[in-house]
């Protein structure tokens, strides 16, 4: 894209649910100077319509795509919230709460049609050297595309500390110095939220693991060595829109899409 025209950023999601994720991701893209385009299996888009791609959160990636059979997973424990966090939720996240409790992004354990759509979009975007950001499920799907594998259930990593499910920044992540993600966030350590019960196991070809959760060593971020901007984050920066360094992730994506 040239001049002052806003680059179009495709944002993937499920057919049903995902309204809150779409709203906050689209808002993050707009604040970064981009034009969001919602993409679902029922509302597909051609890769030539977009200048950059965000693979959003939601259902688990179908395990057979990385050579495993599906296993039953434990349920995340929801942390108790203090008064300050409830006030923040009222101010910043009313649409999130409505969407999460009534039309979740994860209405089914797996979404084969979405897997197919996103893997195709991802392949085409990479072939055209377009910037790609994977969020939570999106990061996991990107790793599978590069022939990596996933931990289907990460509950076993949490023996001394509880497994967190929160839109608030309750997890601490350490970033590899000199990595693209570390430069974008401008810090070696930051706090992030967590809504996942899967994570990267074996990294795919060219995938560099650049962010790890403290205490558990679960992968929280990666980048690909073969592309200018192919980054995955396990957390949800769209729900941390009040944090400047998290907004920088979308800003860099949009800048690369120009």
């Amino acid at each position: 894209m040239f001049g002052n025209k806003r680059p179009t950023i495709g944002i993937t999601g499920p057919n049903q649910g995902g309204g809150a994720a779409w709203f906050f991701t689209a808002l993050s893209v707009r604040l970064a100077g981009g034009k969001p385009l919602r993409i679902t299996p029922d509302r597909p888009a051609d890769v030539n319509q977009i200048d950059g791609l965000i693979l959003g959160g939601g259902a688990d990636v179908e395990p057979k795509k990385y050579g495993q059979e599906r296993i039953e997973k434990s349920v995340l424990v929801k942390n108790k919230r203090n008064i300050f966090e409830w006030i923040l939720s009222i101010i910043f996240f009313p649409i999130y709460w409505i969407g999460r409790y009534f039309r979740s992004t994860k209405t089914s354990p797996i979404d084969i049609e979405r897997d197919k759509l996103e893997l195709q979009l991802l392949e085409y975007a990479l072939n055209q050297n377009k910037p790609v950001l994977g969020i939570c499920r999106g990061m996991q799907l990107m790793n599978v595309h590069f022939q990596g594998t996933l931990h289907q259930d990460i509950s076993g990593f949490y023996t001394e500390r509880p497994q967190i499910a929160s839109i608030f920044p309750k997890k601490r992540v350490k970033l590899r110095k000199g990595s693209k993600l570390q430069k974008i966030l401008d810090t070696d350590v930051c706090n992030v939220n967590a809504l996942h019960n899967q994570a990267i196991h074996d990294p795919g070809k060219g995938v560099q693991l650049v962010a790890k959760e403290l205490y558990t060593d679960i992968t929280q971020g990666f980048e690909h060595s073969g592309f200018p901007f192919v980054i995955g984050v396990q957390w949800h920066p769209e729900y941390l829109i009040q944090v400047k360094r998290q907004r920088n992730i979308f800003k860099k994506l949009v800048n690369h899409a120009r």
Side-chain angles (χ1 to χ4, degrees):
M1 303 298 293
F2 299 95
N4 295 322
K5 188 176 180 181
R6 287 176 169 245
T8 298
I9 308 298
I11 302 170
T12 63
N15 284 328
Q16 296 182 346
W22 155 251
F23 175 86
F24 283 105
T25 308
L27 178 59
S28 298
V29 168
R30 289 191 179 98
L31 291 175
K35 178 182 177 183
L37 174 67
R38 191 173 191 176
I39 302 173
T40 69
D42 285 348
R43 297 171 56 185
D46 188 280
V47 73
N48 293 316
Q49 295 178 253
I50 62 175
D51 305 294
L53 177 65
I54 296 176
L55 302 175
D60 298 339
V61 179
E62 204 266 316
K64 291 182 180 179
K65 289 183 171 60
Y66 50 95
Q68 296 181 13
E69 294 295 326
R70 184 167 182 80
I71 62 173
E72 186 176 347
K73 297 184 294 299
S74 60
V75 178
L76 292 178
V77 177
K78 293 186 177 181
N79 281 17
K80 293 182 179 180
R81 303 179 183 89
N82 58 37
I83 294 176
F84 176 70
E85 290 175 339
W86 277 113
I87 293 173
L88 279 179
S89 69
I90 293 172
I91 295 173
F92 293 109
F93 303 108
I95 297 176
Y96 169 81
W97 290 117
I98 293 171
R100 182 123 185 113
Y101 284 110
F102 293 98
R103 296 186 66 83
S104 171
T105 60
K106 201 168 185 178
T107 54
S108 62
I110 60 175
D111 189 339
I112 293 176
E113 289 301 312
R114 185 178 172 191
D115 287 350
K116 180 180 178 181
L117 169 73
E118 291 182 333
L119 286 169
Q120 186 178 61
L121 278 173
L122 174 60
E123 182 176 4
Y124 290 161
L126 294 174
N127 286 341
Q128 296 184 25
N129 212 29
K130 295 183 179 182
V132 182
L133 170 65
I135 296 174
C136 197
R137 163 201 156 85
M139 168 178 162
Q140 296 162 12
L141 183 117
M142 289 166 68
N143 188 58
V144 170
H145 170 82
F146 293 119
Q147 301 178 31
T149 62
L150 305 178
H151 291 291
Q152 289 191 51
D153 185 356
I154 59 173
S155 60
F157 286 85
Y158 297 91
T159 55
E160 298 180 2
R161 294 172 178 267
Q163 188 176 353
I164 294 172
S166 174
I167 62 169
F168 299 104
K170 288 181 171 290
K171 282 190 177 182
R172 177 150 285 200
V173 168
K174 55 183 177 181
L175 298 122
R176 194 180 74 190
K177 291 185 179 180
S179 65
K180 295 174 184 176
L181 193 56
Q182 185 265 328
K183 292 176 181 178
I184 290 171
L185 295 174
D186 193 28
T187 184
D188 297 333
V189 180
C190 70
N191 295 327
V192 301
N193 52 23
L195 294 171
H196 64 110
N197 56 15
Q198 295 193 323
I200 288 178
H201 184 194
D202 298 312
K205 294 180 180 179
V207 170
Q208 299 178 331
L209 308 183
V210 298
K212 294 278 189 175
E213 181 182 333
L214 290 179
Y215 311 115
T216 66
D217 214 35
I218 287 175
T219 296
Q220 287 284 339
F222 81 69
E223 54 199 44
H224 197 284
S225 59
F227 302 92
F229 191 102
V230 172
I231 290 175
V233 293
Q234 189 59 71
W235 67 90
H236 288 261
E238 73 274 25
Y239 296 145
L240 298 173
I241 200 169
Q242 74 278 19
V243 181
K244 182 180 178 180
R245 62 167 48 102
Q246 299 294 335
R247 295 197 303 272
N248 281 346
I249 296 175
F250 298 98
K251 184 177 179 179
K252 289 294 183 181
L253 171 73
V254 170
N255 286 344
H256 275 272
R258 291 187 187 279

